Amino acid sequence: MNGTRAFRVAATSARLITGVAVAVACTVGVVAAIHAPWPEISHDPAQVQVTPLPGDTVLVCNGDLRALGRDSSAPLDMRSAASPTLTDAGTSGRPSTTTLESPDLPDAGEVRVLTGTVEGRTAPLIAAAESVTIAEDDLAGFAALACGEPRLESWLVGGSVGTGTEDIVTLANAGKVPTTVTLSVYGTTRSARTVVVPAGTQLALPLSSIAAGNDAPVVKVNAVGAPVRAVLQSSLVRVLDPAGIDLQDAVAGAQQNLVFSGVQSFPVEGDEADMTVMRLLSPDADGQARIVVRATGSRDVANEFTVPLSSATPADVSLSGLAPGTYSVEVEADVPVVAAVRQQDGAGLGSDFAWVTPAPEIDADVLVAVPEGPTAQLQLTNTADEDATVSLEPADGGDAEEIVVRAGESVSADVEPGTTYLLRPAATVHAAVTMTEPGALAVLPVQAGSGAEQTITVYP
């Protein structure tokens, strides 16, 4: 081999070795790059935190107590039986008032709509309640009802179509457009009816016209077009004697945990099975509910039992055996339920009854309107594991009262009829106003205020 050829062989070998080395290095680099963290390039989307302006607070009152069947030639026609007394207030002065039309009640008084107008970015707290006392041949007793917010969906849990009852469903549309309301009846016989309620109008219809054949009806109220305020007016006549009236607010929807504040048990002679009765409905599924009853001022359980529930079938359960007094009632169900408690203080002339609906959680300032009427108390229930302190002061000025509600207990505080109070809870509580005298019963659960608007994130 001459020198030139030897040089070419050596050069070729060097190139091969260098190529292999480079290839190995590239392979190692790629493998290492796969397993090594790569630099990340990201762009956060544009966003801004926005707090919506609160809307005006609107409360719709019920208006006149209605009498059904006073004209024998037109038994379904209604007449005004009595006009209520209104108690109202607001943190920025009394709310403004407008009225609704009642075309089916020719001699009607005012059906008031109260508005708390937003000032700046703050909606004022407002509260109002109506009360009425009557002593006629067909209607007698006391009824009171807080003015409430209209809803697109609500439930009327109570009432009867039995002998001696004249129950009425009222629907109030305070909106600017008509609303189509579907009333779906749950019970032994299912039925439904659709009613168009014009804008700015209150209409009413007998419960018997939609729930005939049901011993324990529950009515679901669905509105399309504008929300409505639904109320159930109940009355009872035993033999020929009027035995009470009531005005019952609709509840917002089914829940698994319900709390009733201010349920009362009264002394009675003879059968007490129907003196205090709870009506329960699971709209969508079979299940069971645990009922726990505690006397006001005690953590001890006064009564406890479990109720089986069949889907879409209301059940009436007696809360008998309770000593006379005031109680809180807790419902814990494994399916969403709606419920109400009916209490009565007698069985004939001079007696009265009231349906009690659940008291929602109160965790912020709220105004409480106590209407004119008999002796009144504020019932406070604390279902939490920690004590809760509540401040209560007259809205028109006066000293605040500090009330401590022990964990797992209820307490009561005297309040003045015809007065509005500012309730400031330091922790979550449930509250109701009870009004009680012989032949005069009413329970008004305290509803949570509208509250401040929550901040939302907007992505342009």
Side-chain angles (χ1 to χ4, degrees):
M1 179 183 297
N2 58 33
T4 302
R5 186 178 179 185
F7 175 78
R8 284 200 295 267
V9 170
T12 299
S13 299
R15 285 195 296 271
L16 289 174
I17 293 172
T18 302
V20 170
V22 170
V24 171
C26 289
T27 301
V28 171
V30 169
V31 172
I34 291 174
H35 294 282
W38 285 57
E40 295 183 0
I41 300 176
S42 61
H43 297 282
D44 293 331
Q47 56 182 280
V48 61
Q49 301 293 318
V50 176
T51 302
L53 289 173
D56 295 344
T57 302
V58 177
L59 300 179
V60 181
C61 303
N62 189 63
D64 285 9
L65 190 74
R66 293 170 177 249
L68 184 65
R70 285 186 169 179
D71 185 351
S72 59
S73 64
L76 296 183
D77 285 356
M78 300 182 195
R79 294 289 183 267
S80 174
S83 294
T85 300
L86 177 71
T87 300
D88 67 320
T91 52
S92 297
R94 295 185 63 182
S96 61
T97 303
T98 57
T99 59
L100 303 180
E101 298 291 330
S102 300
D104 61 344
L105 199 64
D107 53 349
E110 292 183 332
V111 180
R112 300 176 180 92
V113 178
L114 308 179
T115 303
T117 304
V118 171
E119 298 177 351
R121 302 185 67 90
T122 303
L125 297 175
I126 64 173
E130 294 178 323
S131 60
V132 60
T133 299
I134 189 171
E136 301 288 347
D137 292 340
D138 57 344
L139 294 169
F142 172 78
L145 182 70
C147 303
E149 297 181 355
R151 298 186 178 103
L152 292 173
E153 178 181 307
S154 57
W155 295 78
L156 295 169
V157 188
S160 174
V161 296
T163 302
T165 61
E166 296 287 359
D167 292 6
I168 298 170
V169 176
T170 62
L171 303 169
N173 175 12
K176 302 298 184 182
V177 297
T179 186
T180 300
V181 181
T182 301
L183 303 170
S184 303
V185 179
Y186 290 75
T188 52
T189 302
R190 293 292 301 272
S191 61
R193 180 171 174 180
T194 299
V195 181
V196 176
V197 185
T201 299
Q202 182 195 65
L203 297 179
L205 64 160
L207 181 62
S208 59
S209 69
I210 60 171
N214 289 291
D215 295 331
V218 174
V219 181
K220 183 180 182 181
V221 182
N222 279 105
V224 177
V228 297
R229 173 86 193 284
V231 172
L232 179 64
Q233 175 188 313
S234 299
S235 62
L236 177 63
V237 174
R238 293 188 182 273
V239 189
L240 297 176
D241 296 326
I245 59 172
D246 183 57
L247 293 169
Q248 181 192 350
D249 201 358
V251 298
Q255 301 178 44
Q256 289 184 248
N257 297 282
L258 302 174
V259 176
F260 297 82
S261 295
V263 174
Q264 295 170 283
S265 179
F266 298 91
V268 63
E269 296 179 1
D271 185 11
E272 63 173 357
D274 62 349
M275 293 296 291
T276 309
V277 176
M278 172 176 285
R279 183 168 299 176
L280 283 158
L281 169 69
S282 170
D284 301 316
D286 294 346
Q288 63 179 14
R290 175 172 167 260
I291 314 299
V292 180
V293 184
R294 292 182 175 89
T296 297
S298 174
R299 294 190 66 175
D300 297 337
V301 175
N303 196 1
E304 181 178 358
F305 55 92
T306 300
V307 179
L309 300 171
S310 298
S311 175
T313 303
D316 277 0
V317 182
S318 175
L319 301 179
S320 60
L322 298 176
T326 304
Y327 297 84
S328 66
V329 180
E330 298 177 44
V331 178
E332 299 176 359
D334 56 7
V335 291
V337 298
V338 292
V341 176
R342 184 185 187 277
Q343 60 186 32
Q344 63 187 64
D345 63 357
L349 183 65
S351 62
D352 200 9
F353 67 92
W355 281 96
V356 186
T357 53
E361 292 184 344
I362 305 295
D363 58 5
D365 294 0
V366 64
L367 283 181
V368 182
V370 182
E372 296 284 357
T375 302
Q377 288 188 319
L378 178 67
Q379 311 291 336
L380 296 166
T381 301
N382 178 12
T383 60
D385 296 328
E386 301 286 339
D387 294 351
T389 301
V390 175
S391 172
L392 185 68
E393 62 181 283
D396 59 358
D399 295 334
E401 178 183 2
E402 297 291 327
I403 305 169
V404 176
V405 190
R406 302 293 184 189
E409 294 187 8
S410 298
V411 299
S412 60
D414 293 339
V415 289
E416 286 294 324
T419 305
T420 301
Y421 292 84
L422 177 61
L423 188 154
R424 296 180 182 272
T428 300
V429 295
H430 304 260
V433 174
T434 57
M435 307 188 76
T436 310
E437 283 182 1
L441 295 180
V443 181
L444 294 76
V446 175
Q447 302 298 321
S450 299
E453 297 290 339
Q454 300 298 313
T455 299
I456 60 175
T457 302
V458 177
Y459 298 92

